[in-house]
Amino acid sequence: MNRNKSAKRVLPGFGLTLGYTLFYLSIIVLIPLSALVFKTFTLTWEQFWAAISAPRVLASYRLTFGASFLAALVNLVFGLLIAWVLVRYKFPGKKIVDALVDLPFALPTAVAGISLTALLAGNGWVGQYLEPLGIQLAFKPAGIVIALIFIGLPFVVRTVQPVLEDSEKELEEAATCLGATRWQTFTKVILPSITPALLTGFAMAFARAVGEYGSVIFIAGNMPMVSEITPLIIIGKLEQYDYAGATAVAVVMLIISFILLLVINALQAWQRRKS
Amino acid sequence: MNSLKLKTLLASVALAASGMAAAQNSLLNVSYDVAREFYKDYNTAFVAHYKKTTGQDIKIDQSHAGSSAQARAVNDGLAADVVTMNTTTDVQFLADNGVVAKDWAKKFPNDASPTTSTMLFLVRNGNPKNIKDWEDLIKPGVQVIVVNPKTGGNGRYAYLAAWGAVREKGGTEAQAAEFVGKLYKNVPVLAKGGRDATATFLQRNQGDVLITFESEVVSINREFGAGKVDAIYPSVSVVAENPVAVVERTVAKKGTAQLAKAYLDYLYSEEAQEIAAKHAIRPRSEAVLKKYAGTFKPLKQFTVAKYFGSLTEAQKVHFNDGGQFDKLYTPGAK
């Protein structure tokens, strides 16, 4: 870091602000997380391994990460669509639609879970028409995905929206003038500029879904090996006063989530360099 | 900050300070979910009783959530004066950590459980599947809603009741295991807690029969209207004790030991036993039990100690990871 660069900074006090940032992050994030790791130290390596690799626990990882990935993927596609509509079109009630997007942020997730279950169960508004067709959503893994789509929706919309708003229409017009088809304009002009934002939204929706508890347990049915999410395994262990076992599973989730977020970050950086 | 906000802040600080001064006359009862209504009535009765006998005004706060979640909160520092739980393991956990007395079960009559409950079946109005006893639950096509024994005391008692019912009829341990395994094969949804199970059964219309606490039946009739469900008394079921204990750690600090003891003692009075009976919690008092014979239909009961030693041992053998429940119940495993 040379003197020339630091002279250009708008705000003074780099040392102070960085120090404060690290201090604050330590108190809010790092110390609680290290407490989590320390709690697992009461286990021997064999006990730790047994706690995190039981078949039930493995099945719950598959379900939690699989359902979260699927839900984030759905949100990626439809979140982009919603962001596009909100940015590019004018229609009556647009403000309301815009506000609706944020609702899953604000709603207590248990409320979301209970209302979705009421809707999709065999006697619910929607469930009563689906169940005769042999489609059961509530109390099945499909229900979990739906709950996770619900709570993850705002992330993609809210990260892509500002980028779309900033993108210059002239570029698209120029592409059209130069003879590009609509599809070419979309894939060659629009998509590259919003991909980093899309990936960020995807990562956030995914991370949120992995940690989700409230909305899922009501709709999941909670059957071991089938529809039991990892957070429920953790709660189950706590109910047995198995603090160490619960934290062991939590540490595994933490590590997997961290790796996935790193991968997505790397993807984003690669995208930025490319464009 | 404007002056109004500042004033409110100062006022609330002053209030908090006066609250601390009055701490000796206030009591926090940390309890389980479905006891909320019972303790609301009981607290009113106790405050009046205490005023009459000692002339002192007292205030009682209550906190309710899942029984073991509450025990964990108290262990982690929630300043409860007394705990009133629905499973002895939760109080034993606190005793093991030195929060309540080691011999807590001997401090009050009836193993420190002033009331009990039992596990019953709830079926839909008219009992369309004709469910009468435990054997009917393993018939093909019968769907049973029950709480996950890993996450709720309600679920643990349901499991133990089913197991013990086989033993009570002369079955062996192996036959009990087989029966319980078959029963859980008929379970389409494992609820997280007692109230969750009720909602799944009644509001979501899942399953043919719900296994739950007797006391839940009264709440259901109150919430959903009588006649939506029928309570079925199986030939035999388990005694579910509702243990109480003074939290020594808190009362030593706050100086509320006497008040806490008086609060729990009064649970054994005829008046309190009658309040419990009104909430369908089984009183220990024979006289009150007889008076409410309409609510508490006779059924043969066995204690957890008879077949499982204690709930703590049952927990180890049956519900801990890798235990009997895990062996019997893995629906997705091929």
Side-chain angles (χ1 to χ4, degrees):
Chain A
M1 219 156 269
N2 57 41
R3 202 169 286 168
N4 202 14
K5 229 178 187 173
S6 63
K8 275 187 191 162
R9 282 198 196 99
V10 179
L11 289 173
F14 170 73
L16 186 69
T17 45
L18 180 70
Y20 182 75
T21 304
L22 290 180
F23 174 70
Y24 188 79
L25 274 179
S26 301
I27 287 187
I28 302 291
V29 181
L30 284 179
I31 291 177
L33 288 185
S34 51
L36 194 71
V37 176
F38 278 123
K39 202 113 198 183
T40 61
F41 286 174
T42 52
L43 293 173
T44 65
W45 177 247
E46 282 77 27
Q47 285 171 323
F48 178 79
W49 186 250
I52 63 166
S53 66
R56 263 178 84 161
V57 182
L58 290 180
S60 82
Y61 297 144
R62 277 195 291 276
L63 177 71
T64 299
F65 288 100
S68 300
F69 186 80
L70 249 156
L73 218 56
V74 171
N75 277 328
L76 183 74
V77 175
F78 290 95
L80 172 61
L81 195 71
I82 292 171
W84 182 264
V85 168
L86 285 176
V87 170
R88 289 300 165 92
Y89 301 109
K90 281 203 180 82
F91 54 91
K94 182 173 160 178
K95 283 249 163 71
I96 296 171
V97 174
D98 199 41
L100 274 180
V101 171
D102 279 334
L103 216 54
F105 270 153
L107 205 65
T109 52
V111 175
I114 291 169
S115 11
L116 282 174
T117 314
L119 209 63
L120 299 175
N123 61 343
W125 284 357
V126 177
Q128 59 179 327
Y129 301 110
L130 292 178
E131 222 133 275
L133 307 173
I135 305 170
Q136 205 197 338
L137 297 175
F139 311 116
K140 295 277 170 210
I144 300 178
V145 177
I146 291 172
L148 295 180
I149 291 173
F150 178 85
I151 54 117
L153 171 76
F155 291 94
V156 175
V157 180
R158 290 303 180 227
T159 46
V160 174
Q161 210 175 359
V163 181
L164 272 181
E165 267 162 8
D166 284 348
S167 78
E168 290 162 33
K169 263 195 165 159
E170 289 77 12
L171 279 178
E172 289 164 43
E173 279 161 15
T176 316
C177 290
L178 292 169
T181 62
R182 284 182 180 195
W183 179 244
Q184 279 171 328
T185 312
F186 179 73
T187 53
K188 297 268 156 71
V189 179
I190 301 168
L191 204 56
S193 69
I194 58 168
T195 304
L198 268 176
L199 280 173
T200 308
F202 175 83
M204 290 202 288
F206 178 78
R208 177 80 177 77
V210 166
E212 182 54 24
Y213 177 71
S215 64
V216 174
I217 44 151
F218 292 102
I219 204 169
N222 307 323
M223 306 296 280
M225 309 297 292
V226 179
S227 56
E228 203 174 41
I229 55 167
T230 313
L232 186 71
I233 296 263
I234 295 175
I235 297 281
K237 284 188 185 288
L238 285 177
E239 297 280 327
Q240 304 160 30
Y241 301 116
D242 181 7
Y243 284 81
T247 44
V249 176
V251 165
V252 170
M253 280 193 88
L254 190 71
I255 293 170
I256 302 179
S257 303
F258 199 69
I259 292 172
L260 285 168
L261 290 178
L262 274 182
V263 167
I264 292 168
N265 259 327
L267 269 177
Q268 254 179 298
W270 172 70
Q271 270 295 328
R272 283 217 184 85
R273 267 203 309 279
K274 222 179 61 168
S275 57
Chain B
M1 196 184 282
N2 60 38
S3 68
L4 187 70
K5 261 191 189 157
L6 195 68
K7 269 182 202 157
T8 337
L9 189 75
L10 283 175
S12 48
V13 168
L15 260 179
S18 67
M20 266 187 274
Q24 262 184 314
N25 291 325
S26 78
L27 208 61
L28 174 61
N29 174 12
V30 169
S31 188
Y32 58 101
D33 252 335
V34 295
R36 186 176 288 113
E37 293 86 1
F38 164 60
Y39 278 107
K40 224 175 100 196
D41 290 356
Y42 174 71
N43 289 345
T44 315
F46 178 71
V47 168
H49 163 78
Y50 202 74
K51 173 91 181 159
K52 212 163 66 190
T53 50
T54 66
Q56 283 176 359
D57 283 309
I58 49 161
K59 186 172 162 286
I60 294 163
D61 297 310
Q62 43 187 136
S63 155
H64 296 270
S67 193
S68 28
Q70 292 289 74
R72 282 198 306 278
V74 172
N75 181 51
D76 293 345
L78 177 62
D81 298 276
V82 296
V83 286
T84 54
M85 298 300 190
N86 67 2
T87 36
T88 47
T89 32
D90 297 326
V91 184
Q92 191 55 46
F93 163 71
L94 292 173
D96 293 342
N97 286 303
V99 179
V100 309
K102 286 263 176 280
D103 59 342
W104 63 272
K106 298 202 173 66
K107 297 249 172 187
F108 295 94
N110 304 101
D111 294 325
S113 298
T115 56
T116 66
S117 192
T118 192
M119 303 310 286
L120 299 181
F121 307 158
L122 280 186
V123 296
R124 303 200 181 280
N125 194 10
N127 196 0
K129 296 260 167 131
N130 196 26
I131 289 157
K132 292 264 164 28
D133 206 349
W134 290 100
E135 293 78 40
D136 299 318
L137 301 185
I138 61 167
K139 282 183 186 158
V142 171
Q143 291 200 318
V144 185
I145 302 296
V146 66
V147 173
N148 187 345
K150 295 241 173 199
T151 59
N154 184 320
R156 287 191 273 274
Y157 275 118
Y159 174 103
L160 295 176
W163 188 285
V166 177
R167 301 277 283 133
E168 195 77 351
K169 286 169 188 167
T172 62
E173 285 281 294
Q175 282 167 326
E178 193 195 342
F179 176 80
V180 171
K182 275 187 192 157
L183 197 160
Y184 281 90
K185 282 209 174 67
N186 277 353
V187 173
V189 175
L190 270 184
K192 190 186 148 277
R195 281 288 148 91
D196 182 24
T198 303
T200 304
F201 183 67
L202 274 167
Q203 284 170 318
R204 318 275 173 264
N205 222 17
Q206 297 289 309
D208 304 303
V209 51
L210 168 72
I211 310 179
T212 193
F213 282 123
E214 186 175 46
S215 50
E216 192 68 355
V217 179
V218 167
S219 330
I220 287 173
N221 281 344
R222 204 175 287 152
E223 291 292 320
F224 296 90
K228 273 198 86 169
V229 288
D230 297 344
I232 303 292
Y233 283 72
S235 58
V236 58
S237 192
V238 71
V239 179
E241 293 181 319
N242 303 141
V244 299
V246 172
V247 180
E248 307 289 346
R249 190 187 61 195
T250 316
V251 296
K253 213 184 292 168
K254 272 173 67 184
T256 44
Q258 275 189 325
L259 178 59
K261 188 173 181 315
Y263 181 78
L264 295 183
D265 273 336
Y266 196 62
L267 280 169
Y268 291 89
S269 70
E270 293 293 298
E271 189 190 5
Q273 295 276 304
E274 189 146 354
I275 297 171
K278 280 184 188 142
H279 289 275
I281 300 169
R282 283 190 181 235
R284 291 286 194 181
S285 154
E286 288 296 327
V288 179
L289 196 61
K290 206 168 277 173
K291 192 171 160 194
Y292 286 85
T295 314
F296 306 107
K297 297 206 180 84
L299 86 163
K300 207 169 138 205
Q301 283 180 292
F302 60 88
T303 60
V304 171
K306 189 169 175 190
Y307 295 112
F308 308 96
S310 69
L311 260 187
T312 312
E313 277 165 58
Q315 175 72 38
K316 267 185 219 138
V317 176
H318 291 272
F319 307 125
N320 277 357
D321 285 348
Q324 193 61 257
F325 176 70
D326 283 350
K327 283 181 200 139
L328 292 172
Y329 185 64
T330 41
K334 298 270 146 58

